[in-house]
Amino acid sequence: MTTSDRWDVTQSARVPGILGAARRAPAATAYPVGTVPPAQDSPPMANRPQDSSPSSRSELNAWLVEEMYEQYREDPDALSKGWQEFFADYRPDEAGSTTNGSTVTPEASPAPRKAVAAVPEDGPDPERIRGVAARIVENMETSLGVPTATSVRDVPAKLLEVNRRIINNYLRRTRGGKVSFTHLIAYAMVKAVETVPAMKNTFAEAEEGKPGLLRPESFGLGLAVDIENDDGSRTLMVPVIKDADTLSFEGFLRAYEDVIRKIRLKKLDPAMFSGGTITLTNPGTIGTVHSVPRLMSGQAAILGVGAINYPAEYQAADTRTLAKLGVGKVITLTSTYDHRVIQGAESGMYLSRVHELLLGKDGFYDEVFSSLGLPYEPARWRTDSTDVDSQTDLLSKQMKVGQLANMYRVRGHLIADLDPLRQRPPEMHPELDPTYHGLSIWDLDRDFLTDVGGSTQKMALGDILGVLRDAYCRTIGIEYGHVLDPEEKAWIREQVEGVDEDVPPEDQLWILERLNAAEAFESFLHTKYVGQKRFGL
């Protein structure tokens, strides 16, 4: 093994995921006259052009190596310690290599014809593409060597919307933070690999250059992140969540936000870009409905997430009409996979499993809620059963909404958040579950007459439940069903239903002052009357 070959092995073991095209081609070997060189289709193991590990062949972040290397040459101290160690023995590609003291230039093979536009003789000269953009061109052309196919599936987004709203409302009231649609969809995609493990298979070369298959025990999820540069241009980076399939949802959420924060703050490290097997891209954030992204060499699959919206034929309709008809938003998911090691049926089964998880099958949302410490049960998927042309059906649901509101006033305290130690799993009381009354998630956007929150008015069922849960099911449980005086019950409802939760800054300062005074008085009592029994404030 030559020195250059040894460098290839050690460097790819250190940061395999970002080398890709930046790795050096093996040294050409000079053979004595009269001997027959090995066949080209069965190169020796030490002289293979690339390492067989999938991560070492990834082209996604190869441009980053070149850019960081230029910065290293100008000012090594400007880079982090990890990059300095990486570039300590790094050497860029060279045109030729040396064997036994003589320079041998590999025989050039004819380059494939590229798809280029014809340049008019009287037109402007083409502008040369340089730097990162040139590396992207090279990566895209390299990706053409990967035979791919794409599966597409539309998934209802209604339950995803409802449960995300429940999660974020709880986080807003407690520790802060926010869960995005991408967080939940990405986690469902990771969990779906457990059912269809073929989706993490990668193509590799076996002995004698024969096609091979790698089946990793765990995999990293790459996140395609679009970065806007200072000059207005855009750059794609693909950091990796390591061992994504071993994380709980909370651990996955923390890892996701950690890599995104480092990218935004430009705190880059070589280890961030290695180990990716499946990549997630979300063009839906800019309104793209359906995307078929390119699959880079060394990757098993790349998953695309489209925009969440109503079907195009309904986007001009009134939202009240859509709610009445039970028309919900949908999301288009795509799976572009390496067809050499993943078959179309497997990709289709994989998207079907993602579909099932996003509809709550096998306790997907229960796991998410439990991981985040939510003291509630998630909403459940149920088909709509409303007859929009039947007045009897509409009146029946109106009556059931009134019954549901009364149950929250009487038994809402039974699901209040009164267990900070989480010693018992959350359990929904049957009479507080809308499905018990024949209501479903499709009724949440429909308007009903109600006296919740004050005077009689029309409100969407989702808003009615929000007011009732804020009043009776948060960190204070209120029970007044035993009160017989109607005026007293009406007064209690006025004080708790629909009350503005926002506390002005001056009131917050007053509360803080009173708490500090109480704490000071508590400390005084503890010092003055040591060992005496007393009630704490």
Side-chain angles (χ1 to χ4, degrees):
M1 180 180 292
T2 65
T3 303
S4 60
D5 289 332
R6 187 180 303 111
W7 180 89
D8 268 347
V9 173
T10 56
Q11 288 294 343
S12 63
R14 185 185 305 171
V15 279
I18 63 173
L19 291 179
R23 301 182 63 204
R24 182 188 309 182
T29 305
Y31 297 96
V33 177
T35 60
V36 179
Q40 293 300 317
D41 60 349
S42 57
M45 291 292 292
N47 290 330
R48 288 189 186 172
Q50 292 182 346
D51 189 284
S52 61
S53 64
S55 58
S56 66
R57 298 188 300 171
S58 173
E59 309 290 340
L60 291 170
N61 300 291
W63 64 267
L64 184 61
V65 178
E66 295 184 356
E67 184 174 284
M68 300 301 289
Y69 183 61
E70 291 299 323
Q71 297 182 26
Y72 175 80
R73 293 178 60 185
E74 295 176 1
D75 184 9
D77 295 333
L79 301 183
S80 65
K81 184 178 179 181
W83 283 110
Q84 293 181 28
E85 293 177 353
F86 172 65
F87 288 124
D89 53 357
Y90 176 79
R91 297 293 182 274
D93 293 348
E94 297 175 357
S97 54
T98 302
T99 303
N100 296 330
S102 61
T103 301
V104 179
T105 303
E107 182 179 352
S109 58
R113 297 185 61 184
K114 300 181 180 180
V116 296
V119 180
E121 294 183 359
D122 56 348
D125 293 333
E127 179 183 351
R128 182 175 178 181
I129 300 177
R130 302 176 183 272
V132 175
R135 173 58 69 181
I136 293 176
V137 171
E138 183 178 340
N139 290 346
M140 292 300 103
E141 292 179 345
T142 302
S143 71
L144 296 176
V146 181
T148 62
T150 300
S151 303
V152 183
R153 193 178 185 96
D154 288 337
V155 179
K158 183 65 175 179
L159 188 63
L160 177 67
E161 287 184 295
V162 173
N163 280 323
R164 175 179 175 265
R165 188 181 307 122
I166 295 173
I167 292 171
N168 286 336
N169 285 341
Y170 176 78
L171 295 178
R172 174 180 54 82
R173 294 191 307 269
T174 54
R175 62 176 182 265
K178 192 175 183 180
V179 171
S180 69
F181 289 113
T182 307
H183 291 144
L184 293 168
I185 296 170
Y187 190 64
M189 288 179 162
V190 170
K191 297 292 290 183
V193 177
E194 297 178 2
T195 304
V196 191
M199 290 303 297
K200 59 183 178 181
N201 291 346
T202 53
F203 178 82
E205 287 186 356
E207 295 183 0
E208 299 182 353
K210 302 299 182 181
L213 173 66
L214 289 177
R215 293 187 175 94
E217 294 183 2
S218 61
F219 68 94
L221 179 68
L223 304 175
V225 183
D226 179 63
I227 303 296
E228 184 175 2
N229 301 318
D230 296 336
D231 59 357
S233 61
R234 311 197 76 87
T235 300
L236 179 68
M237 290 188 180
V238 188
V240 176
I241 299 177
K242 305 295 179 60
D243 299 327
D245 53 335
T246 65
L247 302 175
S248 65
F249 179 75
E250 184 177 22
F252 179 82
L253 180 63
R254 292 180 183 275
Y256 188 109
E257 291 302 307
D258 183 58
V259 297
I260 296 299
R261 181 172 57 255
K262 289 181 179 179
I263 290 293
R264 301 300 183 193
L265 298 177
K266 298 183 179 180
K267 294 183 177 180
L268 308 180
D269 186 86
M272 292 174 55
F273 303 95
S274 63
T277 303
I278 299 176
T279 299
L280 175 70
T281 180
N282 186 6
T285 56
I286 57 175
T288 301
V289 176
H290 182 155
S291 174
V292 183
R294 295 299 310 171
L295 181 64
M296 297 293 104
S297 175
Q299 297 276 299
I302 182 168
L303 312 173
V305 180
I308 298 178
N309 206 342
Y310 292 104
E313 57 270 25
Y314 292 102
Q315 290 180 11
D318 187 273
T319 54
R320 292 170 297 182
T321 302
L322 295 177
K324 184 177 180 180
L325 296 175
V327 177
K329 296 180 180 179
V330 296
I331 181 171
T332 302
L333 306 178
T334 63
S335 167
T336 300
Y337 52 94
D338 189 337
H339 213 336
R340 294 171 295 186
V341 292
I342 300 173
Q343 302 308 311
E346 293 168 329
S347 178
M349 292 166 57
Y350 171 74
L351 288 183
S352 175
R353 180 57 178 169
V354 175
H355 187 154
E356 293 175 347
L357 292 177
L358 292 178
L359 294 188
K361 190 172 182 179
D362 295 330
F364 174 74
Y365 291 109
D366 295 86
E367 179 183 346
V368 171
F369 277 45
S370 175
S371 180
L372 294 175
L374 267 71
Y376 312 114
E377 286 191 6
R380 308 295 181 186
W381 174 259
R382 185 174 178 178
T383 57
D384 188 22
S385 59
T386 300
D387 185 355
V388 295
D389 295 325
S390 172
Q391 290 295 325
T392 301
D393 188 71
L394 296 177
L395 290 174
S396 174
K397 287 204 171 185
Q398 176 66 67
M399 177 183 65
K400 292 174 180 177
V401 169
Q403 293 174 347
L404 178 62
N406 184 61
M407 286 298 100
Y408 268 88
R409 289 164 173 164
V410 175
R411 297 190 174 91
H413 63 281
L414 296 178
I415 61 171
D417 185 10
L418 305 178
D419 182 18
L421 300 180
R422 302 291 183 261
Q423 293 181 328
R424 294 181 300 175
E427 183 178 355
M428 173 66 75
H429 189 279
E431 292 179 306
L432 300 177
D433 187 351
T435 60
Y436 177 84
H437 300 272
L439 303 170
S440 69
I441 58 175
W442 301 102
D443 295 307
L444 295 177
D445 295 327
R446 293 169 177 157
D447 290 338
F448 297 93
L449 285 172
T450 182
D451 63 346
V452 171
S455 59
T456 302
Q457 56 186 322
K458 267 192 174 184
M459 291 178 64
L461 177 59
D463 296 334
I464 294 173
L465 289 175
V467 172
L468 292 171
R469 288 169 177 168
D470 285 341
Y472 304 110
C473 309
R474 301 311 179 199
T475 53
I476 297 178
I478 299 176
E479 180 183 10
Y480 62 96
H482 59 281
V483 177
L484 301 180
D485 189 336
E487 293 185 1
E488 292 180 0
K489 290 194 291 185
W491 182 87
I492 294 175
R493 286 200 299 268
E494 291 175 0
Q495 305 307 310
V496 297
E497 291 184 10
V499 178
D500 188 6
E501 296 181 354
D502 295 331
V503 181
E506 54 272 16
D507 290 348
Q508 295 181 23
L509 291 175
W510 181 84
I511 293 173
L512 178 61
E513 179 185 353
R514 292 293 84 203
L515 288 174
N516 287 335
E519 177 63 24
F521 184 61
E522 188 82 13
S523 300
F524 166 75
L525 293 177
H526 181 71
T527 304
K528 186 69 174 178
Y529 305 100
V530 179
Q532 297 296 320
K533 292 183 179 180
R534 55 185 173 80
F535 291 103
L537 297 178

